[in-house]
Amino acid sequence: MAYNFSWLSVALPLVLGLLLSVVTERALKPTPQAFSKRRIQANSLHLGSWLLLFSLLLMLTQRPWFSMAAVVGVQLFLVVVNNVKVDSLKEPFLLQDFEYFWDMLKHPRLYIPFFGFWRTLLSSAGAIAVISIGLLLEPPLSGSDPHVFWLTTAYLLFISVGLHVYGLRLAFSEPFNPEKDFNQLGQIAFFWVYARALLRSPAIDTRSSPFLVKTEVKTAPVKPEALANLVVVQSESFFDPRPLSPLIKDSLLENYDRIRSQSIGHGRLEVPAWGANTVRTECAFLTGLAPAALGIHAFNPYRYLARNAIPNLAQHMRSQGYQTICIHPYAASFYLRDQVFPKLGFDRFIDIKAFSDADKQGQYTGDAAVADRVTALLNQAATEPGAKPLFIFVITMENHGPLHLEKSDPVVTEQHCHQPLPDDCDDLSVYLSHILNADLMLGQLTTSLSQGSREGVLCWYGDHLPIMPAVYRAMQEVDGRTEYLIWRSGETSPRPQQQDLAVDQLAARLLGSGVSG
């Protein structure tokens, strides 16, 4: 059954929906500026986007109330997703994050547990219910003259396009600051401004890269046999948790403490990620570029690097005569690494296919199995006549969350804590179990590098903090920095003072230690 079309039948749900879209934004974390205080172009993008979706659904279904409910439902979903991300990663949901919905289907374990199983189930059920009930209960519009309906919807579309054209004139200047931009623009205009920046596809400014070839500087070539083997480990979620609480014993990281005392460089490391977005830290280390130099590409840099080659550490090491190898015990296609790393200059990429389920420690391939693979590569190169020195870049996975999917080990807590941890700190207990394995890996790698015929250099750093919001609330808030150290076999020079760095400075600091001559 259908009912006759009238302007009122469209105007009521349209006006109500626009009002609800403004009210819904007040539930966002952090709450953006009030609608009345934003620039008119930002509001124009907000209203135009809502009207565009409403008009398209209205044309498709001829059901105005269903169209209104569906658009409001989409906005509510984005509000929930944003708030979950802010709680876990301290950053609003970005335009680039829409890509993760597809990744969530391919790698559900990495995403759904953070969003929440029940939240995912209820969101899916709610979407199905809205679609089913809306289509069943609301009859489609009709009229004696169907042209009136189509002219009306076309007129609404025309208005929405005009609002977008005007809104996209919004003046906006870099640097990109998601928290500030989100607050000033509101969620919808925030998406549009970042989309406009991406569509303009600016090239990354590499003038500050430490790997640019300086033709005016000529140095004598270094003999291959004089080059040290270099292992760099980007240790998943590695940081020193002992300052969190006096309950954690000082003896927790024995190898880390010993090797740091022998290191040629160590300190706190400022990283451009919190809890996830490993590739931001990874890219900053490999390219030596700060987020400001990456511009709009700073939030998912491998999307750009999959299409464009820029100066980087792997390329530099290969030019110095190194064999360049990446080890990452996860799918090579994740974050497009299978496309990015050949462009960066890696000769080989050893991914999850080189490991088995027996290598798992918890949810992912353990650090022990990865350390064994590095040791095997070093031993193999030592027995091959004329073998090149090795540059091995390792991206570990063992300590990747969600930590709450695992059970804590009471033995670990008993050995490494003065007393049981609070009830809401189970994530920390799980984390301690995995970081102990990272500490063992650290010890094994320095031993392997010491036993080779070449000198060995190890650079170790954490990519970001683990996601443990309840732990930080219960114990002590942290500043987001991780740790790094640079160690060289046989080094007997005086130990340096702690030197805190940003991760984009770390590769230059590493090369400054004389790794490649």
Side-chain angles (χ1 to χ4, degrees):
M1 179 181 177
Y3 60 97
N4 290 333
F5 169 81
S6 70
W7 280 98
L8 193 60
S9 62
V10 172
L12 285 176
L14 172 60
V15 173
L16 178 60
L18 288 172
L19 291 174
L20 286 174
S21 75
V22 175
V23 173
T24 299
E25 272 206 327
R26 306 314 296 165
L28 284 165
K29 295 181 182 179
T31 306
Q33 275 186 349
F35 200 76
S36 59
K37 295 182 180 180
R38 297 178 207 161
R39 283 178 283 180
I40 189 170
Q41 292 95 339
N43 290 339
S44 180
L45 288 171
H46 177 106
L47 298 175
S49 298
W50 199 96
L51 184 57
L52 176 65
L53 291 177
F54 174 81
S55 303
L56 291 174
L57 279 174
L58 181 60
M59 292 179 71
L60 182 64
T61 67
Q62 299 188 24
R63 290 170 169 84
W65 289 102
F66 168 80
S67 300
M68 182 272 287
V71 178
V72 171
V74 169
Q75 187 180 1
L76 281 171
F77 175 73
L78 291 176
V79 167
V80 172
V81 170
N82 174 83
N83 292 351
V84 169
K85 185 185 178 189
V86 169
D87 287 341
S88 299
L89 308 183
K90 299 185 180 296
E91 179 183 81
F93 185 78
L94 303 170
L95 174 79
Q96 292 89 331
D97 294 336
F98 280 100
E99 183 177 347
Y100 295 143
F101 288 131
W102 175 245
D103 284 335
M104 183 174 67
L105 298 177
K106 296 189 293 182
H107 308 281
R109 177 177 285 275
L110 290 181
Y111 296 97
I112 290 179
F114 293 116
F115 187 66
F117 173 77
W118 288 110
R119 193 181 280 121
T120 302
L121 185 63
L122 289 173
S123 297
S124 302
I128 295 172
V130 167
I131 293 172
S132 302
I133 295 173
L135 293 177
L136 288 173
L137 295 185
E138 184 182 9
L141 290 171
S142 69
S144 56
D145 186 0
H147 292 91
V148 176
F149 170 78
W150 293 109
L151 285 173
T152 300
T153 52
Y155 182 65
L156 294 177
L157 280 174
F158 178 78
I159 294 175
S160 72
V161 171
L163 289 170
H164 280 99
V165 170
Y166 176 72
L168 287 172
R169 296 168 59 188
L170 177 67
F172 186 83
S173 58
E174 298 186 27
F176 295 96
N177 183 322
E179 292 77 16
K180 178 183 176 182
D181 301 338
F182 183 87
N183 176 66
Q184 293 182 348
L185 300 172
Q187 188 178 44
I188 305 304
F190 176 62
F191 291 153
W192 275 107
V193 167
Y194 278 45
R196 183 179 64 181
L198 278 173
L199 288 173
R200 290 175 177 174
S201 192
I204 288 177
D205 183 357
T206 61
R207 288 176 294 178
S208 61
S209 170
F211 305 111
L212 282 175
V213 177
K214 296 179 175 61
T215 55
E216 69 277 8
V217 178
K218 295 183 179 181
T219 58
V222 179
K223 295 181 179 180
E225 59 271 18
L227 296 173
N229 285 322
L230 171 60
V231 176
V232 176
V233 178
Q234 180 174 275
S235 183
E236 173 62 39
S237 299
F238 182 88
F239 84 115
D240 186 351
R242 289 172 291 188
L244 277 177
S245 171
L247 297 178
I248 304 174
K249 294 181 179 179
D250 290 339
S251 59
L252 175 70
L253 299 175
E254 293 181 349
N255 289 312
Y256 172 74
D257 289 340
R258 173 179 57 82
I259 296 164
R260 183 180 58 180
S261 70
Q262 302 167 355
S263 69
I264 58 176
H266 68 88
R268 306 297 310 284
L269 192 67
E270 183 181 343
V271 293
W274 178 296
N277 292 305
T278 296
V279 292
R280 298 183 189 177
T281 301
E282 196 173 303
C283 177
F285 172 77
L286 289 172
T287 66
L289 296 176
L294 300 175
I296 190 62
H297 304 294
F299 308 108
N300 190 351
Y302 282 6
R303 178 61 62 185
Y304 177 90
L305 295 186
R307 306 186 308 272
N308 304 275
I310 64 175
N312 67 89
L313 178 61
Q315 182 187 71
H316 170 79
M317 299 305 287
R318 188 160 68 173
S319 72
Q320 298 297 304
Y322 279 79
Q323 181 184 4
T324 55
I325 302 170
C326 177
I327 302 177
H328 178 45
Y330 203 65
S333 60
F334 192 51
Y335 276 122
L336 302 176
R337 286 188 178 99
D338 57 337
Q339 301 176 43
V340 171
F341 276 62
K343 276 191 169 59
L344 290 177
F346 282 94
D347 299 315
R348 294 175 60 190
F349 191 138
I350 300 172
D351 72 344
I352 189 62
K353 291 179 287 188
F355 300 89
S356 68
D357 287 343
D359 295 322
K360 285 187 174 182
Q361 186 67 40
Q363 303 173 72
Y364 308 100
T365 300
D367 288 350
V370 178
D372 288 344
R373 182 54 59 101
V374 175
T375 298
L377 289 170
L378 292 170
N379 291 340
Q380 180 183 357
T383 60
E384 291 180 355
K388 293 181 177 182
L390 296 182
F391 166 51
I392 305 175
F393 181 59
V394 180
I395 310 161
T396 70
M397 275 296 293
E398 178 180 335
N399 213 9
H400 198 293
L403 297 171
H404 66 267
L405 294 186
E406 300 182 46
K407 293 183 179 179
S408 60
D409 186 346
V411 175
V412 170
T413 305
E414 182 179 347
Q415 290 179 345
H416 297 283
C417 296
H418 295 291
Q419 64 186 61
L421 296 172
D423 293 338
D424 55 354
C425 290
D426 283 347
D427 283 357
L428 179 58
S429 298
V430 175
Y431 179 78
L432 295 181
S433 299
H434 290 304
I435 203 173
L436 285 169
N437 291 332
D439 190 60
L440 292 173
M441 179 183 185
L442 185 53
Q444 179 178 339
L445 292 180
T446 53
T447 299
S448 299
L449 287 164
S450 297
Q451 294 173 344
S453 57
R454 296 180 184 274
E455 281 191 304
V457 176
L458 174 69
C459 176
W460 178 283
Y461 67 93
D463 59 347
H464 52 67
L465 269 66
I467 299 177
M468 300 189 298
V471 172
Y472 303 137
R473 287 193 297 267
M475 292 189 167
Q476 180 175 313
E477 284 293 338
V478 287
D479 61 11
R481 291 184 294 174
T482 63
E483 270 73 34
Y484 83 91
L485 62 81
I486 301 172
W487 170 93
R488 186 166 191 148
S489 63
E491 183 64 41
T492 58
S493 61
R495 300 292 152 247
Q497 296 293 318
Q498 175 175 321
Q499 181 183 9
D500 297 342
L501 299 173
V503 67
D504 53 275
Q505 301 170 318
L506 182 55
R509 173 69 177 84
L510 176 62
L511 295 180
S513 65
V515 171
S516 57

